[in-house]
């Protein structure tokens, strides 16, 4: 039997009214959702907490949703309860997990409700370690740590702070992509709350259409509460890779970009490169021993890094190089382009634009260009019939992240981001500009984000969410 008790009302509830933290209840001037929750305090599970008013703590404050209430749910059942309540009150709602989504498509205003699932952290491997069941609040760092402890490996994204499902319902690009495919390719069963607040389970066998749609456009079709996911048994002693940062002088940009463009990435290989803090860095990854890794990436190493910080690294530390990008707060209106080719001349222009922005605005000194490149063979072998994810043949994804604090810099930052994106897309080697939903800005057309899957997705949206209740993340209706 589920325990029920009163919620704890956060101070922010009253602070948002300018009343300080002396009281314990919201007042009549609160949003309808807060008022409803305050008048029915046994609605949710024991560990649920309610905060009235806006929120902090997202990865980017730029275009961040500012709801009337944030409920940190204590159990999966709470999600269904809250969706039914929000629907009854005609209040928009948004599930929030890792709080990293940066797109400006959130349409949640101060009437709205955020369902924060960050307390839902259960993870359980089966005995064979071929499957893992986990809840919506599980971050990549949580799942990797659990897999490591269980002598297993899972295909997740590469940044610790991102929720496995936030990334995985749109794609889920990570170091396992070459061997195992995308995060969404790992899904075996999805438990979710539908637009009407009903708890459901979907698998390929139960509903092939919804199964296809949820894998690529998940947030448009349900609030996923927990899943069963593939896992791969690997003993800790064998679960290592050669990886680490290589730092170069910026005079080497054309050589680096040319070498990466020509590099045929094998399934065990992955590579990121960065312009960050005025530096050029490359992060090779090879799932195997150092000597073979160095041989596979010889064309990059031969350019001559000024510093080589690579080493054989255990699975539980593979994502450490990305931790700096996980820092929450600040304004980061980011833009991305999918790339098939990398053009050295274009990348020199990008460096010049980056240097100008970085040097002109002192407060923007964390501004970063991040490019991730993958072996696509496994993703293409799985194929588009299996999911709505449309970009299985894309080699590299380039993201420009202007990073600063003052709103006054928004116009310059957006102009810089758009300039870089247009240089990259003009030299992308793709037939038309496209962007990965989880890296896109929000100003793209739906076709640029959903590709050839768009029309089928829009048809399915009419069946599964006819009233457009799940319309916060690149809405299909
Ligand atoms: C520092 C950083 C590193 C990143 N690294 C990677 C990477 O390695 N690979 C990659 O593929 N992407 C990566 N991304 C992009 C990331 O996948 C997206 O930002 C993703 O949307 C974040 O999900 P979240 O749950 O962390 O954020 P949130 O803001 O909580 O969620 C983003 C959107 O997804 C929806 N959502 C999240 N969970 C669920 C759920 N359980 N059910 C339904 N909808 C849900 C939310 O409602 C929201 O609309 C990175 C982003 C950042 C900021």
């Amino acid at each position: 039997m589920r325990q029920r008790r009163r919620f704890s009302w956060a101070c922010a509830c009253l602070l948002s009214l300018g009343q300080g933290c002396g009281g314990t209840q919201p007042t009549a001037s609160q949003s309808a959702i807060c008022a409803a929750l305050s008048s029915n305090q046994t609605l949710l599970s024991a560990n649920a907490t309610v905060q009235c008013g806006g929120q902090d703590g997202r990865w980017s404050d730029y275009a961040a949703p500012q709801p009337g209430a944030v409920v940190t749910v204590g159990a999966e059942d709470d999600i269904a309860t809250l969706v039914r309540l929000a629907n009854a009150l005609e209040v928009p709602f948004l599930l929030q997990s890792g709080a990293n989504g940066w797109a400006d498509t959130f349409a949640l205003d101060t009437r709205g409700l955020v369902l924060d699932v960050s307390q839902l952290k259960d993870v359980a491997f089966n005995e064979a370690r071929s499957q893992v069941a986990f809840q919506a609040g599980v971050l990549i760092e949580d799942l990797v740590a659990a897999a490591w402890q269980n002598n297993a490996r899972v295909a997740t994204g590469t940044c610790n702070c991102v929720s496995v499902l936030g990334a995985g319902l749109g794609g889920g690009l990570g170091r396992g992509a070459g061997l195992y495919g995308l995060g969404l390719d790992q899904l075996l069963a999805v438990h979710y709350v539908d637009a009407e607040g009903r708890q459901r389970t979907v698998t390929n066998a139960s509903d092939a259409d919804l199964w296809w749609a949820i894998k690529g456009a998940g947030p448009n079709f349900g609030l996923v509460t927990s899943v069963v996911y593939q896992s791969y048994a690997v003993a800790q002693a064998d679960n290592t890779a050669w990886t680490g940062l290589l730092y170069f002088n910026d005079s080497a940009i054309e050589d680096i970009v040319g070498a990466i463009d020509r590099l045929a990435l094998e399934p065990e290989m992955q590579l990121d490169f960065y312009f960050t803090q005025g530096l050029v860095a490359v992060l090779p990854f090879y799932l195997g021993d150092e000597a073979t890794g160095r041989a596979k990436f010889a064309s990059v190493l031969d350019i001559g890094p000024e510093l080589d910080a690579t080493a054989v690294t255990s699975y539980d530390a593979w994502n450490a190089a990305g931790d700096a990008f996980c820092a929450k707060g600040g304004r980061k209106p980011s833009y991305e382009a999918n790339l098939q080719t990398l053009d050295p001349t274009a990348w020199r222009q990008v460096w010049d634009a980056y240097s100008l922005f970085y040097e002109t605005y002192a407060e923007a000194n964390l501004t970063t260009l991040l490019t991730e490149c993958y072996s696509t063979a496994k993703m293409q072998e799985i194929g588009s019939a299996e999911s709505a994810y449309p970009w299985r043949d894309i080699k590299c994804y380039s993201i420009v992240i202007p990073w600063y604090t003052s709103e006054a810099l928004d116009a310059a930052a957006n102009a810089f981001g758009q300039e870089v994106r247009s240089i990259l897309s003009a030299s992308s080697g793709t037939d038309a500009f496209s962007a990965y939903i989880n890296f896109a800005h929000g100003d793209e057309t739906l076709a640029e984000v959903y590709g050839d899957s768009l029309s089928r997705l829009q048809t399915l949206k009419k069946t599964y969410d006819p009233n457009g209740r799940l319309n916060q993340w690149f809405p299909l209706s």
Side-chain angles (χ1 to χ4, degrees), residues 58-59 94-103 105-106 117 135-137 139-140 156-174 218-220 222-226 322 324-328 370 372 374 399 401 436-439 472-473:
R58 290 191 60 86
W59 183 73
L94 168 74
L95 183 147
Q96 176 173 290
S97 185
N100 294 291
W102 66 63
T105 64
F106 296 121
V117 297
Q135 290 184 304
L139 302 181
I140 288 169
T156 64
T158 50
C159 271
N160 282 322
C161 55
V162 173
S163 83
V164 181
L165 293 178
L169 293 173
L173 290 161
N220 265 272
L223 294 83
V224 177
T225 55
S226 59
F325 294 124
C326 278
K328 297 269 201 261
L370 163 61
E372 304 181 355
Y374 295 92
I399 310 155
I401 308 170
Y436 166 38
I437 189 168
N438 285 342
F439 294 159
Q472 295 294 325
W473 190 245

Side-chain angles (χ1 to χ4, degrees), residues 332-365:
K332 303 164 186 150
S334 305
Y335 292 83
E336 188 258 348
N338 292 345
L339 309 179
Q340 285 292 21
T341 57
L342 284 82
D343 172 32
T345 308
W347 277 92
R348 174 57 60 187
Q349 286 175 269
V350 169
W351 172 261
D352 290 344
Y354 162 76
S355 301
L356 182 64
F357 184 74
Y358 170 81
E359 281 159 18
T360 305
Y361 303 104
E363 66 166 279
N365 64 355

Side-chain angles (χ1 to χ4, degrees), residues 190-259:
V190 167
H191 307 294
Y192 69 103
V193 170
D194 73 8
E196 303 307 318
R198 296 170 296 217
Q199 286 177 293
R200 302 275 199 229
T201 296
V202 63
T203 63
N204 190 30
S206 73
D207 184 339
D209 275 337
L210 180 60
W211 184 244
W212 176 87
I214 224 159
K215 296 195 298 174
N220 265 272
F221 289 90
L223 294 83
V224 177
T225 55
S226 59
V227 299
V228 183
Y229 204 75
Q230 294 190 64
S231 155
Y232 307 89
V234 184
Q236 283 188 356
D238 301 326
N239 210 352
T240 60
W242 172 77
T243 188
L245 286 162
L246 304 167
Y247 291 96
F248 292 87
N249 189 287
D250 72 79
S251 61
I253 285 172
E254 284 84 350
D255 291 340
I256 295 167
V257 167

